[in-house]
Amino acid sequence: MRKPKRLPFEELEPYLLPRPPLLGPPAPSEVVDWSQLFANTNPVEIEVGFGKGLFLTTVGTANPQVNYLGIEIVNKYVLFTATRLARRNLRNVVVTTADARIFLRERVAAGSVRTVHVYFPDPWWKHRHQKRIVFTAVFVREVERVLRPGGRLILVTDVADYMAMARETVLVSSSFLQEAEAPGQHEPTHDLDYLTNFERKFRREGRPIYRAAWATR
Ligand SMILES: C[S@@+](CC[C@H](N)C(=O)[O-])C[C@H]1O[C@@H](n2cnc3c(N)ncnc32)[C@H](O)[C@@H]1O
């Protein structure tokens, strides 16, 4: 994939979530006001760990009546994706650099999100890396809190054990999420017609992909 030339910060700014003040505990006002951020009351969906942003650019283009917030812990991916968004003038997508586990807890209002997407989270199998796993019981309970009634959590991974662990985590730690019909696998019609960059890579390698969705009752 070609690397887009980074645009000057002023051109990326509309696609980056404004930062709260650096000092002090989060104030209630730091909870993101979606209607203010997107200047409309359309439904909001969140992608956790968007990497190079293929999903956000595709769905942002296909669904202008939906607002998307991408949360990614690696700043260079945030700037890379913001550049993609700016080149397409996709004002219904905003991205931010943060640990999604903390961001959901501190900056997302209860019952305000339609869907949380988690695509190919890092498995972090090594014991010393386990604190970095995204899909934990705490995360699931935060997702449950931020989802509106009828909202959905979607997970796609190439790691069978991760999917098994996620199913078990939801079962054990959630009272409101119930497994629902998983999203289908789309057959690509062109080179970038995949859910995400990692899906593209893994499907080209012929690896199996596991998909699941949970809906709030
Ligand atoms: C394997 S990559 C998948 C990227 C993208 N979802 C895809 O499918 O192409 C996992 C991504 O999650 C990000 N990530 C890991 N932990 C995170 C966290 N706690 N909060 C936000 N992003 C995180 C990583 O930086 C990386 O970009």
Side-chain angles (χ1 to χ4, degrees):
M1 183 175 304
R2 261 188 309 126
K3 194 175 170 195
K5 193 168 176 301
R6 178 97 41 87
L7 293 170
F9 184 74
E10 310 78 75
E11 288 184 48
L12 300 184
E13 217 176 351
Y15 304 91
L16 301 171
L17 185 72
R19 286 191 169 279
L22 283 176
L23 296 176
S29 61
E30 286 163 17
V31 168
V32 181
D33 179 337
W34 301 123
S35 54
Q36 193 180 38
L37 177 67
F38 292 105
N40 61 51
T41 55
N42 292 339
V44 174
E45 303 200 0
I46 288 181
E47 185 184 9
V48 167
F50 55 79
K52 289 184 176 171
L54 180 58
F55 173 75
L56 290 175
T57 39
T58 309
V59 293
T61 307
N63 310 311
Q65 303 307 322
V66 180
N67 298 322
Y68 295 93
L69 175 76
I71 311 170
E72 167 57 58
I73 207 163
V74 177
N75 193 46
K76 73 174 177 195
Y77 294 146
V78 176
L79 297 176
F80 181 97
T81 298
T83 297
R84 279 181 143 181
L85 301 173
R87 290 199 189 288
R88 290 167 181 77
N89 201 21
L90 281 181
R91 297 302 294 268
N92 58 328
V93 187
V94 169
V95 289
T96 191
T97 308
D99 182 331
R101 299 168 299 181
I102 297 170
F103 189 95
L104 287 182
R105 188 180 73 221
E106 294 187 349
R107 304 211 51 205
V108 181
S112 70
V113 175
R114 181 167 79 172
T115 309
V116 174
H117 305 262
V118 186
Y119 297 141
F120 301 93
D122 297 308
W124 300 124
W125 292 128
K126 285 188 188 158
H127 187 68
R128 68 176 188 279
H129 290 156
Q130 288 208 337
K131 61 179 185 304
R132 298 189 197 166
I133 287 186
V134 164
F135 210 105
T136 62
V138 173
F139 174 78
V140 167
R141 283 197 287 270
E142 277 309 319
V143 169
E144 201 172 60
R145 185 187 64 80
V146 304
L147 285 179
R148 69 188 204 187
R152 297 205 315 154
L153 166 63
I154 302 178
L155 172 67
V156 178
T157 175
D158 61 309
V159 182
D161 286 352
Y162 197 101
M163 183 55 86
M165 175 279 287
R167 284 206 162 96
E168 181 66 18
T169 304
V170 176
L171 208 60
V172 170
S173 47
S174 158
S175 352
F176 298 109
L177 287 170
Q178 230 174 14
E179 191 146 1
E181 194 181 341
Q185 179 160 299
H186 168 77
E187 284 319 310
T189 55
H190 57 82
D191 190 41
L192 281 181
D193 192 15
Y194 290 90
L195 183 69
T196 70
N197 293 90
F198 270 70
E199 195 208 45
R200 176 173 178 266
K201 170 176 148 63
F202 293 145
R203 282 181 65 183
R204 288 166 144 210
E205 289 170 6
R207 289 211 220 170
I209 308 283
Y210 305 92
R211 297 166 202 271
W214 296 266
T216 55
R217 307 182 223 196

